Amino acid sequence: MPSEFDLIQTYFNWNNKPSEEIGLIKGVVKGIGDDAAVLQVPSSKQLIVTTDTLISGVHFPEQTSPHAIGHKSLAVNLSDLAAMGADPAWFTLAITLPEQNKQWLTAFSKGIKALADKAEIQLIGGDTTKGPLSISITAMGLATSKQLMMRASAKDQDTIYVTNTLGDAAAGLAMLQQCFEGKEDDSCIEQLDYPIPRNQESKLIRQYANACLDISDGFLADLNHILKASKVGAVIDLDSIPLSIALQKINQQQALKYALTGGDDYELLFTIPQENQKTFENAVLKENLICKVVGTIDSSISGIRSTQNEVLSAEGYNHFK
Ligand code: ADP
Ligand code: MG
């Protein structure tokens, strides 16, 4: 059985050279190989830090491929950086494994490295232990204080947007759990296993938005986080909630339930002040990104209402006809 040192060298030390030989890549004074990493934070930037743990059977179905687990464990952390308006810089990886399975580790390492390379985030350390499968990543990003988007910054009459479409991952999970009614579509399972963190969208959104977060627990539950933090309410137009082609084909009440209350979307939910709306939408078009208006911040109400003035809540929606 290879030692822990060999395991780290084989699967996680992607540079294959001590970092001194590579020089200072993106502020890494010392990466993997010492007792701790040493990082140089540019004086003009703030350091943004986030941690997410994924446990087998809780945060991904047990049958999920190791390649997808690798991707998803980094993707959910990159999504948090996107939600803040920070550029990905570094991450650490703490992994607990029941056994040293070569095939599993190879696929996991490929999944995580493919996304790390794409997102230009560097693995700078971690921890490797034996036990039930769990992966904990701490991602670090950089941003100027002006770029940061806080949940507490939504203002009255801001326009509420989401990126892309909602509900596919929840539908994908229902398909895997064999409780999905309608035509099954692999694109939903793909969305569950390989969420795309919206760091590219974030770079644009942060130039115009007041508040932003990423949708991980469901649109209504996460919108509520912005509303509570900003002490405002919101009016949502249910007809404008963006649905994928796969969800447009199923019962629309069910599709809307996945989109409003299903988890694991990792799309951005953000608010744009009206005076920025036109320039923002032009920039979105120019960059070929997809952002859709779903409602308006309203400080004269509390909680979430539909345009028909019905009360909307994640809990209530399950009983909503
Ligand atoms: P220590 O016992 O001093 O904490 P470790 O043996 O745990 O050190 O780790 C040795 C080096 O390998 C450290 O630089 C650590 O950050 C890195 N490392 C350990 N596990 C991982 C991992 N899963 N991914 C990336 N780097 C790791
Ligand atoms: Mg040590």
Side-chain angles (χ1 to χ4, degrees), residues 22-267:
I22 302 165
L24 209 77
I25 301 172
K26 235 183 161 179
V28 181
V29 183
K30 179 71 204 178
I32 293 172
D34 215 309
D35 295 308
V38 183
L39 305 167
Q40 187 70 52
V41 180
S43 59
S44 58
K45 300 277 175 81
Q46 291 182 333
L47 181 66
I48 291 84
V49 183
T50 179
T51 301
D52 259 314
T53 299
L54 276 74
I55 294 170
S56 178
V58 180
H59 301 99
F60 53 85
E62 266 155 25
Q63 70 265 36
T64 308
S65 81
H67 190 277
I69 296 170
H71 173 97
K72 190 166 181 174
S73 51
L74 181 57
V76 300
N77 281 280
L78 285 168
S79 180
D80 280 325
L81 292 181
M84 294 300 291
D87 293 321
W90 310 296
F91 73 104
T92 61
L93 166 65
I95 181 164
T96 304
L97 294 165
E99 52 174 353
Q100 280 197 26
N101 176 326
K102 201 173 159 187
Q103 246 179 337
W104 194 97
L105 276 160
T106 304
F108 173 83
S109 158
K110 277 190 183 155
I112 205 164
K113 184 175 189 302
L115 182 59
D117 287 348
K118 203 163 163 220
E120 296 181 41
I121 188 165
Q122 206 177 327
L123 179 59
I124 47 107
D127 197 22
T128 309
T129 49
K130 196 172 156 129
L133 178 62
S134 101
I135 297 114
S136 187
I137 286 184
T138 296
M140 286 152 270
L142 297 170
T144 61
S145 57
K146 253 186 79 185
Q147 287 167 351
L148 289 177
M149 297 180 284
M150 305 297 194
R151 294 179 176 191
S153 309
K155 298 278 176 315
D156 187 38
Q157 298 309 310
D158 279 2
T159 304
I160 304 168
Y161 288 79
V162 294
T163 53
N164 302 289
T165 59
L166 302 180
D168 294 71
L173 184 62
M175 288 171 199
L176 291 179
Q177 293 173 337
Q178 287 164 1
C179 56
F180 183 79
E181 289 167 19
K183 193 177 171 301
E184 295 202 1
D185 192 316
D186 284 348
S187 69
C188 294
I189 295 167
E190 175 80 9
Q191 197 62 40
L192 175 70
D193 284 347
Y194 288 92
I196 303 169
R198 301 301 178 186
N199 301 89
Q200 195 195 344
E201 286 81 351
S202 166
K203 273 184 194 296
L204 182 78
I205 292 166
R206 71 189 182 195
Q207 297 173 47
Y208 304 92
N210 277 339
C212 182
L213 54 58
D214 67 323
I215 305 174
S216 54
D217 297 333
F219 171 83
L220 291 177
D222 285 317
L223 174 57
N224 240 329
H225 291 143
I226 288 187
L227 302 183
K228 285 229 164 83
S230 300
K231 300 190 175 71
V232 290
V235 178
I236 297 300
D237 177 7
L238 294 180
D239 293 332
S240 66
I241 297 290
L243 299 175
S244 67
I245 293 167
L247 287 200
Q248 284 171 29
K249 286 183 189 155
I250 68 167
N251 173 295
Q252 286 308 279
Q253 207 56 42
Q254 183 61 46
L256 205 52
K257 191 172 151 186
Y258 287 132
L260 296 179
T261 66
D264 269 353
D265 282 311
Y266 302 105
E267 296 297 344

Side-chain angles (χ1 to χ4, degrees), residues 258-310:
Y258 287 132
L260 296 179
T261 66
D264 269 353
D265 282 311
Y266 302 105
E267 296 297 344
L268 297 178
L269 163 56
F270 55 98
T271 81
I272 300 270
Q274 277 184 12
E275 65 269 23
N276 286 351
Q277 210 178 326
K278 214 174 172 89
T279 43
F280 170 69
E281 288 189 4
N282 286 337
V284 166
L285 273 178
K286 211 170 136 204
E287 291 206 21
N288 259 320
L289 301 174
I290 301 170
C291 298
K292 189 121 195 283
V293 173
V294 294
T296 311
I297 296 290
D298 186 339
S299 65
S300 70
I301 60 172
S302 71
I304 310 169
R305 304 247 166 171
S306 71
T307 42
Q308 272 84 44
N309 209 23
E310 298 145 316

